[in-house]
């Protein structure tokens, strides 16, 4: 009797375990099938977008009027964005595919910058038409390679999950039609590195990634460590790690990491080789209860800037997050704000320590500027602003526009209902260059429900 009951219980257990395993297997298959479907959709979507891209570039070459060219180039930009999105959804993170992504990004940037340009005043140059012809051929080559891969995928019913497993296990060197096909695409694109995208694209890319305009004498590694310790205010028995970037170049920088081995406090900093200027640094420490005001913290931030050689800067934005003050400063020359030269700072409100600085944008934008006279008056510029804007402040300012050119503008700060906006009107032609909605204070959502 007891034996029969035990056998029955065991049988039920086996059946239950089997059913549970079956359910797990079904759920796993459902997840794998869903992933496979997403990969297939992204791949065939990419192939389709490359077909559209090739055709649209070809159609653009046949156009002659600005009214047709601008929308067509904008459509090229949209298609490249879709293609880039599809690439991002494929399991290619472990497979080098950066050249293809860079190629799509370059086409998108070139088409966007050209589309928003006033083609009546600045029509496409012969060099840019030649670029479009080259892009037409190159997109056709990529299209053909992708079509070959697509044909093999459909013919042999290949699965993308096998690609993901091969990449994850490091077996992509073995024969895999999809991986081999995408390697061929990448190899094809590598031959396009020397494509000349013309003056519009060159202007967008020209921002110097070095710090050649900063002032001062070159510093040594030991000097960089001393500077880092001073700024990050980490004392005691410290462990220091320093690396050199841009070795052999005066325009490079040192990366310094410091850790107090007793307290565990850490800090990180990048310092220019020329002059020893702080590019950025972070002091990783807990900020305790607030003891100083935001205004006092701002004063300490200004003193830090003065002591470290940053001059002609004024505060244009301040915010408090918990027990930390965040301040944005920009250069002000003769009453004109130079927004490309901006520095962001974080100050601890428990004791006023500078716990974060980001000056990279400022240091890279340093240059001798000759700011011309405005062609229109402040009143004429104000007439271009939305009449519903209640203007609170106005001034001249230099900003970087969508074509990555520095332009002189009139800046208007004002409100529409409960929202605050910063609007920039081009001081030469009255064009609305930029409209920025300023962030509101974060709402508190605790105990709302």
């Amino acid at each position: 009797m007891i034996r029969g009951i035990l056998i029955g219980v065991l049988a039920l257990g086996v059946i239950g375990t089997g059913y549970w395993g079956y359910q797990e297997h079904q759920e796993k298959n459902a997840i794998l099938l869903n992933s496979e479907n997403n990969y297939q959709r992204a791949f065939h979507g990419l192939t389709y977008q490359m077909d559209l891209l090739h055709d649209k570039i070809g159609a653009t070459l046949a156009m002659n009027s600005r009214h047709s060219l601008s929308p067509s180039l904008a459509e090229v930009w949209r298609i490249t964005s879709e293609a880039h999105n599809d690439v991002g959804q494929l399991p290619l993170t472990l497979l080098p595919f950066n050249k293809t992504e860079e190629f799509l990004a370059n086409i998108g940037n070139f088409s966007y910058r050209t589309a928003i340009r006033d083609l009546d005043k600045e029509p496409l140059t012969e060099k840019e038409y030649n670029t479009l012809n080259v892009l037409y051929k190159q997109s056709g080559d990529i299209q053909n390679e992708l079509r070959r891969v697509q044909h093999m995928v459909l013919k042999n019913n290949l699965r993308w999950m096998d690609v993901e497993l091969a990449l994850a296990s490091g077996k992509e060197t073995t024969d895999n039609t999809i991986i081999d096909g995408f390697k061929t695409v990448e190899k094809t694109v590598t031959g396009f590195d020397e494509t000349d995208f013309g003056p519009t694209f060159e202007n967008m890319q020209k921002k110097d990634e070095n710090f050649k305009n900063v002032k001062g004498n070159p510093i040594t590694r030991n000097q960089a460590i001393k500077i880092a310790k001073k700024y990050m205010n980490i004392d005691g028995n410290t462990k220091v790690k320093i690396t050199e970037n841009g070795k052999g170049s005066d325009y490079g920088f040192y990366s310094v990491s410091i850790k107090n081995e007793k307290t565990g406090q850490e800090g990180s900093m990048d310092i220019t080789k020329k002059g020893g200027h702080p590019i950025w640094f972070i002091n990783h420490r807990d900020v305790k209860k607030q003891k100083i005001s935001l205004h006092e913290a701002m004063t300490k931030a200004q003193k830090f800037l003065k002591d470290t050689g940053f001059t002609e800067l004024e505060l244009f934005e301040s915010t408090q997050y918990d027990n930390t003050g965040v301040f944005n400063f920009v250069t002000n020359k003769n009453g004109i704000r130079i927004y490309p030269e901006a520095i962001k700072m974080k100050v601890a409100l428990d004791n006023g320590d500078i716990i974060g600085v980001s000056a990279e944008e400022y240091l890279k934008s340093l240059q001798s500027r000759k700011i011309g006279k405005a062609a229109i008056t402040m009143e004429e510029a104000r007439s271009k602003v939305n009449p519903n804007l209640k203007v609170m402040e106005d001034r001249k300012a230099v900003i970087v526009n969508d074509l990555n050119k520095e332009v002189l503008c009139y800046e208007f700060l004002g409100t529409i209902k409960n929202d605050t906006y910063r609007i920039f009107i081009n001081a030469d032609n009255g064009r609305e260059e930029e409209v920025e909605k300023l962030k509101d204070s974060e709402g508190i959502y605790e105990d709302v429900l």
Side-chain angles (χ1 to χ4, degrees):
M1 179 74 176
I2 296 175
R3 184 181 177 188
I5 293 172
L6 289 173
I7 291 173
V9 170
L10 289 172
L12 288 172
V14 171
I15 292 170
T17 303
Y19 179 73
W20 175 79
Y22 173 76
Q23 286 287 92
E24 286 287 300
H25 179 71
Q26 289 293 94
E27 289 175 7
K28 182 180 179 181
N29 281 344
I31 293 172
L32 292 174
L33 181 61
N34 183 59
S35 297
E36 179 65 27
N37 288 340
N38 286 333
Y39 290 151
Q40 291 287 353
R41 178 192 54 75
F43 169 64
H44 294 296
L46 172 62
T47 307
Y48 173 67
Q49 295 299 339
M50 287 307 302
D51 287 345
L52 290 181
L53 180 63
H54 183 242
D55 292 343
K56 181 55 67 174
I57 294 176
T60 302
L61 284 168
M63 295 175 183
N64 192 38
S65 71
R66 174 191 181 279
H67 297 293
S68 299
L69 271 173
S70 290
S72 183
L73 287 166
E75 183 66 9
V76 169
W77 170 72
R78 185 193 67 79
I79 293 169
T80 55
S81 296
E82 292 286 342
H84 209 276
N85 182 55
D86 287 329
V87 170
Q89 296 182 54
L90 293 172
L92 298 172
T93 52
L94 301 178
L95 178 67
F97 207 57
N98 55 302
K99 289 294 182 183
T100 302
E101 292 184 279
E102 183 181 338
F103 175 72
L104 289 171
N106 286 343
I107 294 179
N109 288 329
F110 171 79
S111 57
Y112 174 75
R113 305 291 173 178
T114 309
I116 64 174
R117 197 170 84 201
D118 189 341
L119 293 177
D120 284 335
K121 294 181 179 179
E122 296 181 75
L124 288 182
T125 64
E126 183 178 350
K127 181 181 286 188
E128 288 170 327
Y129 269 113
N130 290 337
T131 297
L132 281 173
N133 273 300
V134 173
L135 293 178
Y136 179 64
K137 180 184 182 304
Q138 293 173 346
S139 61
D141 292 342
I142 297 175
Q143 176 194 34
N144 290 334
E145 293 297 339
L146 285 174
R147 281 296 183 189
R148 289 192 186 97
V149 178
Q150 186 182 49
H151 172 72
M152 296 303 295
V153 168
L154 295 173
K155 179 182 177 182
N156 300 320
N157 196 27
L158 300 177
R159 300 192 319 156
W160 275 91
M161 291 305 299
D162 294 334
V163 175
E164 187 171 42
L165 290 172
L167 291 172
S169 62
K171 296 179 180 179
E172 68 271 17
T173 53
T174 60
D175 183 30
N176 186 298
T177 302
I178 296 179
I179 292 177
D180 292 344
F182 269 84
K183 284 182 177 179
T184 303
V185 173
E186 184 75 351
K187 186 177 180 181
T188 301
V189 179
T190 302
F192 306 156
D193 286 347
E194 301 303 318
T195 302
D196 187 351
F197 284 88
T200 296
F201 189 78
E202 287 170 5
N203 183 68
M204 185 189 69
Q205 297 282 59
K206 74 178 182 180
K207 188 173 181 181
D208 193 355
E209 290 303 315
N210 296 316
F211 306 98
K212 67 180 182 181
N213 290 323
V214 300
K215 297 178 180 179
N217 297 320
I219 63 170
T220 65
R221 293 167 68 94
N222 287 336
Q223 287 174 316
I225 293 172
K226 289 181 180 178
I227 292 170
K229 284 185 175 181
K230 174 186 173 183
Y231 288 148
M232 291 188 285
N233 197 25
I234 297 178
D235 300 319
N237 186 19
T238 57
K239 181 179 180 181
V240 179
K241 180 181 179 182
I242 182 169
T243 56
E244 183 177 347
N245 296 276
K247 196 169 185 178
S249 169
D250 290 336
Y251 307 144
F253 57 93
Y254 295 106
S255 292
V256 185
S257 296
I258 301 177
K259 182 177 181 179
N260 183 311
E261 295 188 312
K262 184 177 180 180
T263 65
Q265 183 184 351
E266 295 182 71
S268 305
M269 185 174 188
D270 280 357
I271 307 167
T272 61
K273 289 181 181 177
K274 188 177 179 181
H277 300 287
I279 301 169
W280 65 265
F281 76 78
I282 298 175
N283 189 338
H284 305 280
R285 75 166 178 83
D286 293 330
V287 180
K288 299 175 182 178
K289 187 177 179 180
Q290 180 176 350
K291 292 183 179 179
I292 67 172
S293 68
L294 196 64
H295 178 75
E296 289 174 301
M298 180 267 291
T299 302
K300 291 182 179 292
Q302 288 176 323
K303 183 178 185 303
F304 170 87
L305 291 172
K306 185 178 179 181
D307 292 345
T308 49
F310 294 106
T311 59
E312 299 182 297
L313 287 162
E314 73 170 4
L315 178 74
F316 82 94
E317 194 174 50
S318 63
T319 314
Q320 181 172 341
Y321 296 97
D322 294 328
N323 297 323
T324 302
V326 178
F327 305 95
N328 285 321
F329 294 87
V330 292
T331 296
N332 186 317
K333 290 188 177 179
N334 300 318
I336 301 175
R337 281 185 176 175
I338 314 296
Y339 277 102
E341 295 183 8
I343 295 177
K344 179 175 286 188
M345 301 182 64
K346 291 177 69 176
V347 180
L349 299 180
D350 55 0
N351 63 3
D353 276 353
I354 309 298
I355 57 173
V357 170
S358 177
E360 183 173 7
E361 186 179 352
Y362 175 93
L363 294 171
K364 288 181 177 179
S365 299
L366 277 175
Q367 58 179 283
S368 297
R369 292 177 177 82
K370 186 177 180 180
I371 302 174
K373 290 185 177 181
I376 64 174
T377 64
M378 177 75 76
E379 289 70 25
E380 289 173 321
R382 188 187 290 256
S383 69
K384 306 292 183 181
V385 174
N386 187 321
N388 294 319
L389 184 79
K390 183 179 179 181
V391 177
M392 299 182 296
E393 296 179 19
D394 55 44
R395 63 177 61 84
K396 287 182 180 178
V398 172
I399 67 168
V400 177
N401 67 6
D402 283 343
L403 293 175
N404 212 48
K405 292 181 179 178
E406 288 192 0
V407 291
L408 177 64
C409 293
Y410 288 105
E411 174 190 347
F412 298 96
L413 180 70
T415 59
I416 298 178
K417 295 183 178 179
N418 295 323
D419 294 319
T420 305
Y421 297 88
R422 184 177 282 120
I423 299 175
F424 296 93
I425 303 296
N426 191 301
D428 289 328
N429 54 33
R431 180 189 304 155
E432 194 173 66
E433 288 287 353
E434 184 178 328
V435 176
E436 177 187 359
K437 181 180 179 295
L438 301 188
K439 293 180 180 179
D440 297 323
S441 298
E442 287 291 333
I444 299 174
Y445 299 99
E446 293 179 0
D447 303 323
V448 172
L449 298 178

